[in-house]
Every structure is written in C-alpha cells, then in structure tokens.
Amino acid sequence: MTTTPSDAPPIPGHAPIYSGKVRDLYAPLDANGDPREDVLLLVASDRISAYDHVLDSVIPDKGRVLTQLSLWWFEQFSSLVPNHIVSTDVPSEVEGRAVLVRRLPMLPVECIARAYLTGSGLAEYREVGSVCGVALPDGLTEASPLPETIFTPTTKAPMGQHDQPITYAQVEDLIGAELASKVAEMTTSILAHGNEIAAARGILVADTKVEFGVAGDELVLADEVLTPDSSRFWRAEDHVVGVPQKSYDKQYVRDWLTSAESGWDRTSGDAPPALPADVVAATRETYVAAYEAITGDTFR
Ligand SMILES: N#Cc1c(N)ncnc1-c1cnn(Cc2cccc(F)c2)c1
C-alpha cells in the first residue's frame, strides 16, 4: 500500500481505503453509513509519475483516458476471462475515470508478461541469462522481441519497496499449482492478444502487469488492463532493437525533466519541478492518441 487513504480526495458517500501513486481506492457506504464489503470504487487520477516521483503537475483527462482504455480492453477479453467490473455508474466527481468493481480476494502476485526485453527483465537476462527462471536464447539485447510472450511474475511489495522477481515455482508455492498455471496462461494470452490488436494500430506493448482476484475457484481479471500506466507502450514505427525505446506516453515528460531547461538533477533526490504547459499538453495528446489509435473511437 502507498500513502495513507487521507491523501485520496473526498468523495461523498465513500470511504477512502488506499491512495496509490496515480490511483485511489474507495469503499461505497451502505445505508447505515458503513463501508460496503462487496464492492470497491477504483478511481484513476490525472496524476503522473516519472522517475519514481509523483509529479506536482497533473495531465488533464489522463484518468478518464486510461479508465476508458482499460474498460475497452476488459471488453476485448470478456470471453477469455471473467472480470471484476460491476458498473461505470459512478459519482459525478469522478465521472469517466472510476469504476465500481467486485471486491475480491486478490492473488499476492504481480502478473507480468513480456513480449520484448527491456527494463528489469533485460537487467536480469544480462546477469543470469534468464528472467524469473525463464531461460532465453543468447544474443538478446535492449528491446529485442522475445521468441514468445513470457510470464515473469513479481511479489507485491509494500509501497516504497520494489517488487521482487519470482520464479514460476515460487508462484506455485504462493497460490498453488492449478491457479499458477491459470494466471501464467492468462497473463501471457492477454499480452499476446493485446499486441495483435495494438500492433495493427502502430503500437507495441513491450510488457504489461495485470492482477487477478478469485471468486470461488474461478480466476477474475481485476485492476486495470493494458494501459500506459500498467504497460510499456512503444511506437511500432520507431522500434529499433539495441537502443532504449521512447515511451509512447511519458517521453515528453522524461525528456523535459532530464533537460537542462528543467534544472532538475534526477540523482539529487529532490522532487521534480512542475512541467511547462506545452509538455503537459503534448502528454495529454499522447494519451488521447493512444486511446483513439487502439480503440478506433474518438475520445470525448
Ligand atoms: N482492482 C481491484 C481489487 C478488487 N477488485 N478487489 C479487491 N481489491 C482490489 C485491489 C486492491 N488494491 N488494488 C490496486 C489498486 C487499484 C486501484 C487503485 C488503487 F489505489 C489500488 C486493487
């Protein structure tokens, strides 16, 4: 968990439960004013994080764009796996950027799949020739496409600590062999199928993180699906193996923060400065462009 729930903006009739870097979780209150235990309100803010900092600047409509994109992906996978969505009928304060979801026992595993090698997966590969115990061929490098989409899970570390990569055997120890097999298969299928759709629209999804809950012995897809906050989005036309790829959605932010103009030293530990209006506007446009490219719908 991250910062205290008190950081979450108040929503009438809802009790704040948890405030993440860019999202907040609430429990709707029942007729007695007690928090309901069967549902949660999952709210996406316009906050943006970069270099492990939540920036002071917000990106207008980011929460709405990513919520609508995630809902579109949930629909794409609705025949593949049940999901936690209950309703998009939410308080006016968070219209379009919140979802009422089934409250589920959540599996203690960050279910990550990778189609391209980058980030912590690349670092582990360079160190030991594998990722989360998954052996890979020699000669792979930054942004290499993987022979197949692989399951590379991590623990769910408390906020402020880093999730730790674990092997498939460790996932079996955590949740049992049957569930481990289901989450591994489902996670890789979501990324593989998501990439078929996204690649046809000029976007590569290098990797993604999904979360599952359980209802009885049934696996339920929860959290968010294939958003730029849970996944690495790259422009397919710019993909060059061997060099770090530009982030589809955060590159303007990263480039400005690391430019002389910002005056910020990312190794200083200081909070980043506020973003200029043109960087905010360009970043908003990349989120909208990603939504419209993938879904084929106009963002309203
Ligand atoms: N999804 C979901 C979910 C569910 N359907 N049932 C029970 N718990 C969760 C749950 C708990 N933590 N998170 C992460 C999270 C998501 C969104 C905003 C946040 F602040 C934090 C998800």
Side-chain angles (χ1 to χ4, degrees):
M1 297 289 184
T2 59
T3 45
T4 59
S6 59
D7 294 345
I11 299 178
H14 291 71
I17 290 184
Y18 166 91
S19 194
K21 284 185 177 178
V22 297
R23 294 182 301 163
D24 305 305
L25 215 46
Y26 301 78
L29 303 181
D30 64 19
N32 300 322
D34 297 321
R36 287 177 59 179
E37 296 184 354
D38 59 333
V39 292
L40 290 168
L41 186 72
L42 195 160
V43 179
S45 77
D46 289 345
R47 302 191 297 267
I48 187 169
S49 67
Y51 299 118
D52 278 338
H53 290 271
V54 177
L55 305 189
D56 289 337
S57 307
V58 294
I59 307 299
D61 293 327
K62 174 175 178 281
R64 279 202 312 125
V65 175
L66 268 58
T67 298
Q68 297 310 312
L69 179 59
S70 184
L71 286 168
W72 186 86
W73 283 117
F74 273 115
E75 180 55 33
Q76 300 305 305
F77 296 119
S78 57
S79 58
L80 193 67
V81 59
N83 64 56
H84 69 160
I85 305 295
V86 169
S87 169
T88 55
D89 179 12
V90 297
S92 57
E93 294 85 347
V94 291
E95 180 62 39
R97 62 183 183 91
V99 186
L100 192 68
V101 301
R102 283 170 67 185
R103 191 167 194 165
L104 299 163
M106 297 296 285
L107 295 179
V109 180
E110 298 289 17
C111 295
I112 295 163
R114 298 174 186 268
Y116 296 81
L117 196 56
T118 191
S120 62
L122 173 63
E124 188 178 346
Y125 168 81
R126 283 175 168 162
E127 195 176 330
V128 297
S130 61
V131 185
C132 295
V134 179
L136 292 173
D138 294 341
L140 301 180
T141 185
E142 176 67 58
S144 287
L146 294 173
E148 60 180 357
T149 301
I150 62 174
F151 181 59
T152 60
T154 71
T155 59
K156 279 187 177 179
M159 195 44 99
Q161 297 177 34
H162 288 292
D163 298 340
Q164 296 304 313
I166 52 178
T167 64
Y168 181 77
Q170 288 173 294
V171 175
E172 289 182 306
D173 292 341
L174 275 171
I175 63 175
E178 188 174 347
L179 265 179
S181 173
K182 287 180 180 177
V183 299
E185 170 59 30
M186 196 55 69
T187 304
T188 52
S189 297
I190 285 169
L191 180 56
H193 187 50
N195 254 321
E196 286 173 13
I197 293 172
R201 278 96 164 158
I203 293 173
L204 299 181
V205 189
D207 47 47
T208 196
K209 185 268 292 181
V210 292
E211 294 192 32
F212 295 98
V214 288
D217 59 358
E218 188 172 56
L219 200 58
V220 181
L221 183 59
D223 198 32
E224 61 185 328
V225 180
L226 288 171
T227 73
D229 274 352
S230 67
S231 319
R232 284 189 174 92
F233 280 35
W234 297 336
R235 292 181 191 286
E237 65 189 26
D238 296 340
H239 180 226
V240 176
V241 175
V243 297
Q245 304 299 292
K246 289 187 177 297
S247 159
Y248 189 100
D249 56 299
K250 294 191 177 175
Q251 203 57 45
Y252 289 109
V253 171
R254 289 178 179 167
D255 287 352
W256 187 80
L257 286 176
T258 52
S259 73
E261 185 186 334
S262 77
W264 182 59
D265 171 2
R266 63 185 276 211
T267 64
S268 66
D270 298 340
L275 300 173
D278 62 317
V279 172
V280 170
T283 302
R284 176 188 179 281
E285 189 44 43
T286 57
Y287 285 117
V288 172
Y291 171 83
E292 295 188 342
I294 291 171
T295 67
D297 298 334
T298 301
F299 176 71
R300 290 182 178 81

